[in-house]
Each structure stands twice: as C-alpha cells, then as structure tokens.
C-alpha cells in the first residue's frame, strides 16, 4: 500500500517544544484536540452511552467534568448535556492535556538529501510517524521542526527501538517508483545486531511464519498460522558471550528479525520484548513458550511493570487493562499513521472496525485525592491558551486539574534502556544505495 505524504505545518509544530534532560529528548505537555465524526453505530445513541461503552480510557466522571470545563464540543458547540443524542455526520472534538514519553536525545543524522529523497540515520526509541502516545517525539516531527523537511512520504518503516537507515521520498512520483521496487523484491535490506550466545558460523536461513499476538504491546511469535517470511543470518564476530550477526530479511513482517532470532535461541541481547523471562526458561527458543498468548502478554507486562519500564514498550498503565491477543493498541511500532484514538489518544485509530470498538482500552483510575464529580461547577477549568483548544506549551508549567498524567509520577528511562542492538545498516535499490556507519556495540572487540 502506497503511503501518502504526511503533511504537518507550522501550526502543528508550534503546539509545544522540546527540552533535553538526562540524555533524553522530552516534550513539554500541551493541550491537543482529538477530533472525530460520528460513527454509523453511534447514531441515535447518547454521548454518555458512547463514552461508557466505547471510550473507557477515562471514567464517566471525567467526561462530565470535561463537559463542564468546555473541553467537549459537538459541531463546535460546547457540550453541556452528555445525554444529547448523536446524529449522522456530527463532529466531536475533545481537548486533552497531552504528555508524551521521552526518547533518546541522540540527534537524527541526515545521511543524504537531494531533490527526490531524504535519508536519515534514525536513533533507537523514536517512532517514524505520529502514533499512539507519540506525536512530537517522532522522526517526522523532528525533521519538520528542526530541519525544515516537510510533506515527506514514508518509503519503509523501522520499529521504534530499531536504529539505522530510514528513507523518505519528497514526492508521490518518487514514492511510487521506489514502492514498485519494494513490491518487486528489488530492494535489498541489511541489518546488524548483537545476540545472546555463540551464533553458528555457517549461514542460517530461517523461514518460520510469524503471527501477531498483540498490536497494543507489539508482540509477535512464530506460529504455523502466521504469515510466511524468510531471513538469512551470517555471524560476523563472537566475543565469548555474544555475537554480532548480519541479517538479510527477504520479507518485511513486523519484528521479523527479532522473532526469528528468538526462535533460533539467540535473541537480541537487550531486546525489551523477545529476551524477557516472560517467555519461559528458554526465552521462546524453538517456539516453546508453554503458556497461552494471554498469559504471555500478562507476564510480559508484569515483568516490565516490576522494573518500572513500561515506557520502554511505548505504553502506560492506562493502556493495559485488559490486554488481549489480537487487540488494537499501539506500541509505537504501529503501521498506521493515523493519529491516536480520537477521543482519548490512548491507541491507534483503527478505521472503524466494529470488532475494535475501543473495548481493550483500560479505564484509567484517577487519584483518590481528587473527585471529579465534586469539582466546583463554577471553578475555572478552561485551557491555558487559545479558544480552539490547541494551547501549545503555554500551560505546560501548570498541572491540569483534569489530567491524570499531571498527578502521576513516572520514572524516566535511562538512555541505555532506549537502545536496542538492532541497526538498519544498508538499503539498496536498482538505482541507489545508502549506508550508515557500524554502531559502536557492533564492533568485534566490544564488551558490555
């Protein structure tokens, strides 16, 4: 599927700004409008009913308080009564105080640029485009805000935790031409990684099919019911405890390299998903997990929760309960470039499929020190900014009275936690070849 150009302008970039702290790039909290038209299945139902059944990231008390504060608008008129019945083509806007997870402070290095393409060296931890909880902390926004590169067309995607060569086209015509090479399997991709143990010296071809277990957490596994894929591996070096491996994927499935390496018994050294205890004593080698998908997801989340490292997965507590296999959530690796949930922003917008009715979005318990139902109805809860709800960074220094994140203390990830040892080293087409330098952790004599 050909990706259209992602167009963001000055008004989007001005919503907030960055600051740097402890080796991390952070986004100042900002007010943001999530917008959506009335879905067909909502027609004839009240707003209260829709919020209570489909948008459960917040309790109903939150929506009542948001309405009193003027943050819910229907057809650009403030919603005063949540019992109002929705009609076809109604336009709903919800203004929220938005917080984004931090990413690495490492800069995006431009490898090549001409009239047709922009090629960058993407740091680990950065999503390519806005999705889930990420907007400004994405490659697209950083390139637009700091390098003046706008209306770029994504030619391929790298997982959020994968670093390396990332290409963008500057026009639809260039995008179509390179996309044709991708579909004709004329694009060669070469990755390098550091894996656990002594990888075999001979070439290893893995052709195990891969199945998506959870979109929300971003977990896949080998399964006969999965999609066919193929990866060729070649060991480059071994330092006595870990190996550097060249990876040549011949298909492009989600997490393909990482899942195949786990299946072979050599997961990436610091993979925050596929090298975890939740997969069992053998870490998923040979596809032997010994538990259901639901048990696996629960154990994986609990392991990260115990380490206070949920942010490394690109999710927060509000995204978690319940988590089911085949859910429609977002780990920051989402292939959809749509903005987050149009009401709450807590997961990707999944094109109105009834089986994805936001029922996997958790109710987000508010702290007990505030009772939204008892907030003084005359108390000023307006936004710290302009009237269309996009106040930008003007309100970032103050805590928002309705914002759960403002009352939640989170441990920042360390810069080390935001690096995974998987790097896109080279992309080659029929008329181009782009390479990045070998990362430090891939050097032969490197040690932890």
């Amino acid at each position: 599927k050909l990706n259209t150009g992602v167009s963001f302008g000055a008004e989007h970039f001005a919503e907030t700004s960055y600051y740097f702290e402890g080796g991390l790039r952070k986004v100042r909290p900002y007010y943001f409008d999530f917008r959506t038209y009335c879905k067909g299945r909502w027609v004839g139902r009240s707003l209260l009913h829709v919020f209570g059944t489909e948008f459960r990231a917040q309790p109903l008390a939150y929506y009542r308080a948001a309405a009193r504060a003027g943050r819910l608008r229907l057809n650009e008129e403030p919603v005063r009564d949540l019992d109002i019945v929705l009609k076809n083509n109604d336009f709903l806007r919800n203004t929220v105080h938005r917080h984004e997870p931090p990413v690495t402070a490492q800069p995006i290095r431009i490898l090549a640029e001409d009239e047709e393409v922009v090629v960058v060296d993407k740091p680990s931890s950065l999503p390519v485009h806005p999705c889930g909880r990420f907007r400004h902390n994405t490659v697209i926004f950083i390139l637009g805000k700091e390098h003046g590169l706008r209306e770029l067309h994504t030619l391929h995607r790298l997982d959020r935790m994968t670093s390396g060569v990332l290409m963008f086209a500057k026009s639809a015509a260039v995008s179509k031409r390179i996309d044709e090479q991708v579909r004709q399997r004329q694009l060669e991709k070469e990755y390098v990684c550091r894996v656990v143990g002594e990888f075999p010296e001979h070439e290893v071809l893995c052709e195990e099919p891969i199945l998506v277990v959870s979109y929300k957490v971003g977990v896949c596994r080998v399964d006969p019911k999965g999609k066919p894929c193929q990866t060729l591996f070649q060991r480059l070096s071994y330092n006595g405890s870990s190996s550097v491996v060249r990876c040549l994927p011949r298909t492009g499935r989600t997490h393909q390299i990482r899942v195949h390496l786990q299946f072979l018994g050599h997961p990436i050294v610091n993979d925050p998903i596929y090298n975890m205890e939740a997969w069992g004593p053998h870490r998923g080698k040979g596809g032997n997990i010994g538990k259901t998908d639901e048990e696996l997801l629960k154990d994986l989340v609990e392991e990260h929760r115990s380490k206070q490292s949920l942010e490394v997965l690109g999710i927060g507590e509000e995204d978690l309960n319940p988590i089911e296999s085949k859910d429609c959530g977002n780990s920051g690796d989402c292939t959809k470039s749509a903005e987050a949930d149009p009401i709450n922003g807590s997961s990707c917008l999944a094109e109105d499929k009834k089986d994805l009715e936001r029922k996997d979005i958790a109710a987000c318990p508010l702290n007990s020190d505030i009772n939204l139902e008892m907030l003084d109805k005359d108390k000023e809860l307006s936004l710290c900014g302009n009237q269309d709800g996009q106040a930008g960074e003007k309100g970032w220094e103050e805590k928002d009275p309705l914002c759960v994140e403002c009352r939640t203390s989170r441990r920042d990830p360390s810069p080390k936690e935001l690096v995974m040892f998987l790097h896109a080293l080279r992309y080659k087409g029929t008329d181009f070849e782009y390479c990045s330098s070998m990362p430090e952790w891939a050097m032969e004599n490197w040690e932890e």
Side-chain angles (χ1 to χ4, degrees), residues 4 80 133 168 195 200 215 220 269 355 382:
T4 57
R80 301 302 181 193
R133 303 179 69 208
F168 297 95
V195 303
Y215 291 98
C220 304
V269 167
D355 60 331
S382 61

Side-chain angles (χ1 to χ4, degrees), residues 32 54 57 69 84 139 146 153 200 209 219 300 318 337 368 371 383 425 448:
F32 181 79
E54 297 201 26
I84 189 170
V139 175
E146 298 185 351
H153 299 249
V219 178
L300 187 60
E318 66 274 15
S337 60
S368 58
N371 187 332
L383 308 179
L425 193 64
E448 183 75 39

Side-chain angles (χ1 to χ4, degrees), residues 290-329:
K291 58 183 74 174
T292 66
D293 288 346
E294 289 73 19
E295 291 170 337
L296 170 64
L297 291 172
K298 180 177 180 294
D299 292 346
L300 187 60
V301 166
E302 286 302 322
E303 188 172 348
H304 274 286
R305 183 184 275 132
S306 69
K307 297 177 181 178
Q308 298 184 35
S309 56
L310 285 173
E311 292 291 349
V312 176
L313 295 178
I315 59 177
E317 291 284 349
E318 66 274 15
D319 303 316
L320 293 180
N321 193 12
I323 287 183
E324 301 173 3
S325 58
K326 311 302 183 298
D327 52 22
C328 180

Side-chain angles (χ1 to χ4, degrees), residues 216-227:
K216 181 177 291 184
V217 183
V219 178
C220 304
R221 62 174 173 80
V222 165
D223 189 278
K225 300 188 294 291
K227 293 182 178 181

Side-chain angles (χ1 to χ4, degrees), residues 77-175:
E77 294 294 328
V79 173
R80 301 302 181 193
D81 184 3
L82 293 183
D83 290 323
I84 189 170
V85 175
L86 295 170
K87 304 184 300 296
N88 193 31
N89 290 326
D90 274 351
F91 179 69
L92 183 62
R93 187 197 314 223
N94 177 34
T95 302
V96 301
H97 197 230
R98 190 165 179 176
H99 295 243
E100 296 191 28
V103 297
T104 179
Q106 292 179 2
I108 297 175
R109 192 164 61 94
I110 295 180
L111 299 173
E113 181 184 0
D114 57 28
E115 67 278 1
E116 292 192 338
V117 298
V118 177
V119 185
V120 304
D121 192 350
K122 183 186 91 67
S124 184
S125 79
L126 272 176
V128 175
H129 49 62
C131 57
R133 303 179 69 208
F134 296 90
R135 179 172 169 85
H136 289 264
N137 263 347
T138 61
V139 175
I140 285 284
F141 262 70
I142 294 171
L143 289 179
K145 295 173 73 165
E146 298 185 351
H147 297 273
L149 296 167
R150 304 177 183 182
E151 299 187 19
L152 299 176
H153 299 249
T154 53
L155 294 172
H156 64 102
R157 190 178 62 88
L158 293 179
D159 293 337
R160 187 171 62 88
M161 294 299 291
T162 303
S163 58
V165 176
L166 181 63
M167 298 171 55
F168 297 95
K170 288 187 174 181
S171 69
V174 174
S175 179

Side-chain angles (χ1 to χ4, degrees), residues 50-60 62-63 94 96 216 317-321 341 343-347 357-366 402 404:
V50 171
F51 285 143
T53 57
E54 297 201 26
F55 297 99
R56 298 184 297 174
Q58 305 285 4
L60 288 176
Y62 168 83
Y63 295 111
N94 177 34
V96 301
K216 181 177 291 184
E317 291 284 349
E318 66 274 15
D319 303 316
L320 293 180
N321 193 12
D341 183 300
I343 301 298
N344 303 297
S346 54
S347 73
E357 291 180 336
R358 310 315 193 273
K359 292 180 182 177
D360 293 328
I361 297 175
C364 186
L366 294 163
L402 298 186
V404 173

Side-chain angles (χ1 to χ4, degrees), residues 11-12 14-16 30-33 35 69-71 73 93 95 380-395:
E11 70 276 14
H12 304 109
E15 290 164 351
T16 184
Y30 57 101
Y31 289 99
F32 181 79
D33 287 349
R35 313 172 186 201
R71 299 189 188 184
R73 276 169 261 183
R93 187 197 314 223
T95 302
E380 182 59 47
L381 294 176
S382 61
L383 308 179
C384 306
N386 60 30
Q387 293 302 306
D388 78 351
Q390 297 201 15
E393 61 179 304
K394 294 181 181 179

